[in-house]
Amino acid sequence: MSDLSNEISFADDKILKAVSDGVGTVTFNNPDKRNAMSLEMWEGFGQALTSLRDDDAVRVVVLRGAGGKAFVAGADISQFEKTRHNAAASEEYAKRSEAQRALLANYPKPTIACIQGFCVGGGMQVAMLTDIRIASASSQFGIPAAKLGIAYGYDGLRHLVSLVGPSWARLLMYTGMRIDAAEALRIGLVERVIPDDELWGAVMEIAHTVSENAPLAIKAAKITIAQILKDAGDRDMEAIKAIGTACMDSADFREGRQAFMEKRKPQFSGK
């Protein structure tokens, strides 16, 4: 599915990483199972995210699913008898996959979920951890935990409630229902819905716009918004002050001012 250069694979080709023009892309590449996540894929996902995080050429990361039918259709249920057959096994599974989710939750660069088709269960959790969610008109969303007899984790539900509110979270969780892209947009689960054949182009347009803006200013916004979402007593106001100072003292701020005065497009370095 990838049309990007420098592609590298992880987890036996089920996770693909590529970089082009400041945009890093991670593709969930298990289309025969609608990109359902195995433990090996979770670990490969973490490796891809770490590589892109540490690549100075990458300013924004896009996540997408291969095959056009799913972003991520949850966990690979065929592994459940082996990895999640009881509470102890499920706890071990959670530990191994939680580290990768934490990596995404605390990611220092902006992240975008490009969602086409099914975004279900663990796929919803991945999408909700990104900064921005753009969906195709054919997308479907849901968390079928109640239909499987499992508990959806605290972090996943915290993000769900923060996006759609407690009442919609209850409706989705109690029923295990699926909703379409229009409903997901209406309740705040996604930011935009795009026709299927225009989705990738629209997402890349947003990604390239982000990559061309000042990285420190974007980092300041990301840090500050994250602190706003915390309880007042837990907010790190010093971190907000520090990144604000870094922006004002940066070469990029000087470049932004000069470019404005000279009526040209700024060239930001991230310094």
Side-chain angles (χ1 to χ4, degrees), residues 1-2 6-7 31 36 46 51 70-71 84 119 128 141 156-157 179 207 216 220 233 240 249 254 262:
M1 178 180 176
S2 179
N6 306 315
E7 188 170 85
S51 175
F71 175 68
R84 301 179 75 177
C119 181
M128 290 189 296
F141 301 82
L157 283 177
I179 60 173
L216 283 175
I240 295 173
D249 288 340
R254 292 194 298 275
E262 296 167 8

Side-chain angles (χ1 to χ4, degrees), residues 167-182:
S167 295
W168 258 104
R170 293 185 187 104
L171 180 59
L172 290 169
M173 295 306 302
Y174 294 177
T175 64
M177 67 189 292
R178 287 183 191 162
I179 60 173
D180 62 19

Side-chain angles (χ1 to χ4, degrees), residues 19-209:
V19 177
S20 179
D21 297 329
V23 180
T25 300
V26 178
T27 303
F28 303 103
N29 188 39
N30 192 17
D32 290 344
K33 293 188 176 181
R34 292 180 173 172
N35 303 320
M37 294 288 282
S38 64
L39 270 176
E40 294 76 18
M41 286 177 68
W42 276 114
E43 289 167 355
F45 180 44
Q47 292 171 327
L49 286 177
T50 300
S51 175
L52 293 171
R53 180 196 65 191
D54 297 340
D55 186 344
D56 290 339
V58 175
R59 294 189 176 181
V60 58
V61 173
V62 175
L63 309 182
R64 66 175 179 176
K69 294 183 178 179
F71 175 68
V72 173
D76 186 349
I77 296 177
S78 68
Q79 286 197 333
F80 277 24
E81 280 300 313
K82 179 180 178 182
T83 62
R84 301 179 75 177
H85 55 280
N86 59 28
S90 186
E91 183 175 359
E92 178 62 25
Y93 176 97
K95 285 180 180 178
R96 291 177 64 183
S97 59
E98 183 179 353
Q100 325 310 330
R101 291 193 294 274
L103 180 62
L104 181 58
N106 299 304
Y107 210 65
K109 298 178 180 180
T111 53
I112 303 172
C114 175
I115 302 167
Q116 185 169 11
F118 292 100
C119 181
V120 179
M124 280 265 289
Q125 196 162 14
V126 171
M128 290 189 296
L129 286 170
T130 62
D131 295 323
I132 300 166
R133 287 157 295 282
I134 310 296
S136 71
S138 67
S139 297
Q140 296 185 47
F141 301 82
I143 301 173
K147 295 180 181 295
L148 293 170
I150 60 175
Y152 204 65
Y154 171 83
D155 286 338
L157 283 177
R158 179 170 62 87
H159 284 100
L160 181 64
V161 170
S162 73
L163 290 170
V164 306
S167 295
W168 258 104
R170 293 185 187 104
L171 180 59
L172 290 169
M173 295 306 302
Y174 294 177
T175 64
M177 67 189 292
R178 287 183 191 162
I179 60 173
D180 62 19
E183 190 84 280
L185 178 65
R186 189 181 69 80
I187 67 176
L189 187 59
V190 301
E191 281 65 67
R192 285 186 179 175
V193 173
I194 307 291
D196 286 41
D197 60 353
E198 299 174 17
L199 176 67
W200 182 242
V203 168
M204 290 305 287
E205 182 178 357
I206 293 170
H208 283 128
T209 299

